[in-house]
Amino acid sequence: MRLSRYFLPILKENPREAEIVSHRLMLRAGMIRQQAAGSFSWLPLGKKVLDKVCKIIREEQNRAGALEILMPTIQSADLWRESGRYDDYGKEMLRIKDRHERDMLFGPTNEEMVTEIFRSYVRSYKDLPLNLYHIQWKFRDEVRPRFGVMRSREFLMKDAYTFDIDFEGARAAYNRMFVSYLRTFTRMGLQAIPMRADTGPIGGDLSHEFIILAETGESQVFCDRDYLSLPVPGENTDFTNDAEIDGIVKEWTTPYAATDEMHDEAAWTKVPETHKLSARGIEVGHIFHFGEKYSKPMGAKVTGPDGKDHFVSGGSYGIGPSRLVAAIIEASHDDNGIIWPEAVAPFDVGLINMKPGDAGCDALCEKLYAAYEKAGKDVLYDDTDQRPGAKFATADLIGLPWQVIVGPRGVGDGTVEVKNRRTGERDVRKVEDLLASVEKAA
Ligand code: 5CA
């Protein structure tokens, strides 16, 4: 992509409304545009990161056996009357009437709708376990939308829903999502700690929040430092092996970890002083086991091996991709801007032409641009006529992992500078060596 053809509305000044660094940097880097309180458009750079986050989530959901569907954003109130949540949900739910005066709502979550799908088709325990997920916009009329996409009213959610014949099956399904989450967040360059959590309006008795430690986090959390060095399950984890998955969950739930609401002072005092980590955290995922809470009132049952009907045992599993984009920035930035982990970077490389119009610089940039494209690397080529200082500032602000800097002096002796955004290290590389390594990476 040529920057001269791109839409990257960079802000020079710090936006006054932004209280935390991720909100400030997302606005300054032209990733999002606020449309109303807690509602944002995603501009090209932001949309690219959001898509990369969703891709990782999809891959890990699929790996763990979940099946992707897509349910509507607008739901019928009747379904929510069946579960009893229509009245319970309160003002957070955006209620709408259609032209026939029918009560509708903008979905804050989808337990009812997915249970309706399940009960319409599934009759036998032989069709279980089943895990259906989607990635869809939600609306919650939060009292205090703030911190940009971190706590917004309209936000993207990956929500998965599992159906099993009994508690044992449901527990295994819960464990698979638990392990899948550990892999998901690690792939985004984040260290997420699963903590015992409150269930709130979703209900149920077993729940974990996945928390990223950050000073700007909204939750107070307490955990054992051991979490910081636990090994994250690898790509070859066998999600069909319940014992293996259970072993990983045990390992990741043994040291103490709890959110404020679930904090147990008596258990906390037993954690050695040097292990205690009391910090602020951002909730990026939340999983729930709620058993028959929805299946019973909504009549979602299957015939078991005993020939009798059983209400299915359920759970739901949320991740906030839009919040995650902000959380990644909270965890990875410096004074100059964002530092994207490679897996979610909007482009792999920034190619900076220090002197557009100079025949040598232009020709070398075109050559490198073509080589990267051919190797399947996504490049943002700064071919604009901005001053070099402004170009460097933009490149640092938008945080691409690598910057390749082409100037007249280098063109003269066949070299370019390669800068690593994270370490700030700059290497002078021979053009032919760089080209060879790009080709090799293809
Ligand atoms: N139905 C369940 C799980 S599918 C559910 O709704 N869970 S939740 O309420 O915990 O939300 C799931 C995830 O969505 C949260 O962990 C968080 O990452 C994200 N999320 C929730 N509220 C917001 C919000 N106001 N702004 C941005 N992300 C949010």
Side-chain angles (χ1 to χ4, degrees), residues 77 85-97 103-106:
R85 275 208 297 182
Y86 189 61
D87 295 325
D88 291 356
Y89 221 92
K91 288 199 161 173
E92 272 205 5
M93 181 187 276
L94 182 65
R95 295 156 206 261
I96 311 165
K97 277 201 195 297
D103 292 324
M104 313 286 285
L105 57 100
F106 196 117

Side-chain angles (χ1 to χ4, degrees), residues 38 85 89 108-111 138 140 142 145-146 148-161 181 185 199 201-202 209-210 218 282-288 290 294 315-324:
R85 275 208 297 182
Y89 221 92
T109 176
N110 282 62
E111 281 80 5
K138 305 289 188 288
R140 292 182 184 171
E142 302 265 353
R146 58 183 190 151
V149 295
M150 191 75 91
R151 176 167 299 282
S152 48
R153 295 199 297 169
E154 189 169 338
F155 59 95
L156 198 54
M157 193 197 286
K158 183 288 297 180
D159 35 330
Y161 301 89
Y181 278 30
F185 299 126
T199 54
I202 307 296
E209 281 180 18
F210 286 74
E218 289 191 281
I282 303 169
E283 177 207 317
V284 287
H286 197 164
I287 61 178
F288 304 81
F290 46 66
Y294 301 94
S316 69
Y317 313 86
I319 293 184
S322 45
R323 174 178 291 181
L324 264 170

Side-chain angles (χ1 to χ4, degrees), residues 199-235:
T199 54
I202 307 296
D205 46 16
L206 171 63
S207 173
H208 285 90
E209 281 180 18
F210 286 74
I211 301 276
I212 306 297
L213 302 180
E215 276 165 31
T216 48
E218 289 191 281
S219 331
Q220 179 64 40
V221 298
F222 304 86
C223 70
D224 192 314
R225 279 185 195 280
D226 279 355
Y227 277 105
L228 303 178
S229 50
L230 280 183
V232 174
E235 248 182 32

Side-chain angles (χ1 to χ4, degrees), residues 56-314:
I56 293 175
I57 294 173
R58 265 194 189 95
E59 285 171 5
E60 294 303 329
Q61 289 291 289
N62 298 348
R63 188 198 300 280
L67 305 170
E68 187 168 8
I69 60 173
L70 185 57
M71 293 177 272
T73 53
I74 308 289
Q75 306 186 20
S76 157
D78 288 342
L79 270 181
W80 287 66
R81 292 195 175 104
E82 283 191 47
S83 72
R85 275 208 297 182
Y86 189 61
D87 295 325
D88 291 356
Y89 221 92
K91 288 199 161 173
E92 272 205 5
M93 181 187 276
L94 182 65
R95 295 156 206 261
I96 311 165
K97 277 201 195 297
D98 71 6
R99 66 164 76 202
H100 306 292
E101 291 293 305
R102 274 190 289 253
D103 292 324
M104 313 286 285
L105 57 100
F106 196 117
T109 176
N110 282 62
E111 281 80 5
E112 285 78 359
M113 193 177 270
V114 77
T115 303
E116 192 282 328
I117 295 174
F118 180 89
R119 75 176 175 198
S120 306
Y121 298 107
V122 185
R123 296 275 171 267
S124 162
Y125 75 96
K126 290 182 188 148
D127 299 321
L128 304 182
L130 185 64
N131 180 339
L132 300 175
Y133 78 98
H134 72 163
I135 300 181
Q136 178 61 292
W137 294 94
K138 305 289 188 288
F139 193 95
R140 292 182 184 171
D141 206 348
E142 302 265 353
V143 192
R144 240 157 68 84
R146 58 183 190 151
F147 300 160
V149 295
M150 191 75 91
R151 176 167 299 282
S152 48
R153 295 199 297 169
E154 189 169 338
F155 59 95
L156 198 54
M157 193 197 286
K158 183 288 297 180
D159 35 330
Y161 301 89
T162 59
F163 304 90
D164 285 271
I165 180 78
D166 53 17
F167 175 75
E168 207 186 17
R171 180 71 216 221
Y174 184 94
N175 287 349
R176 283 193 289 276
M177 284 293 98
F178 186 109
V179 173
S180 158
Y181 278 30
L182 294 176
R183 287 193 42 77
T184 303
F185 299 126
T186 298
R187 282 188 59 192
M188 294 172 194
L190 293 170
Q191 195 157 41
I193 302 174
M195 305 202 181
R196 284 300 301 269
D198 194 21
T199 54
I202 307 296
D205 46 16
L206 171 63
S207 173
H208 285 90
E209 281 180 18
F210 286 74
I211 301 276
I212 306 297
L213 302 180
E215 276 165 31
T216 48
E218 289 191 281
S219 331
Q220 179 64 40
V221 298
F222 304 86
C223 70
D224 192 314
R225 279 185 195 280
D226 279 355
Y227 277 105
L228 303 178
S229 50
L230 280 183
V232 174
E235 248 182 32
N236 48 4
T237 305
D238 181 0
F239 281 90
T240 63
N241 183 338
D242 287 353
E244 178 181 335
I245 298 296
D246 189 49
I248 299 170
V249 172
K250 285 227 167 69
E251 191 179 12
W252 278 85
T253 48
T254 300
Y256 185 84
T259 59
D260 211 7
E261 303 89 41
M262 298 297 280
H263 188 46
D264 173 355
E265 273 299 337
W268 186 235
T269 52
K270 291 188 195 132
V271 179
E273 238 10 85
T274 53
H275 280 231
K276 279 185 181 164
L277 190 55
S278 149
R280 305 294 295 176
I282 303 169
E283 177 207 317
V284 287
H286 197 164
I287 61 178
F288 304 81
H289 165 74
F290 46 66
E292 300 175 0
K293 178 174 158 106
Y294 301 94
S295 62
K296 211 167 194 171
M298 296 187 67
K301 52 193 175 194
V302 294
T303 313
D306 54 4
K308 293 189 185 134
D309 276 353
H310 298 255
F311 289 114
V312 288
S313 185

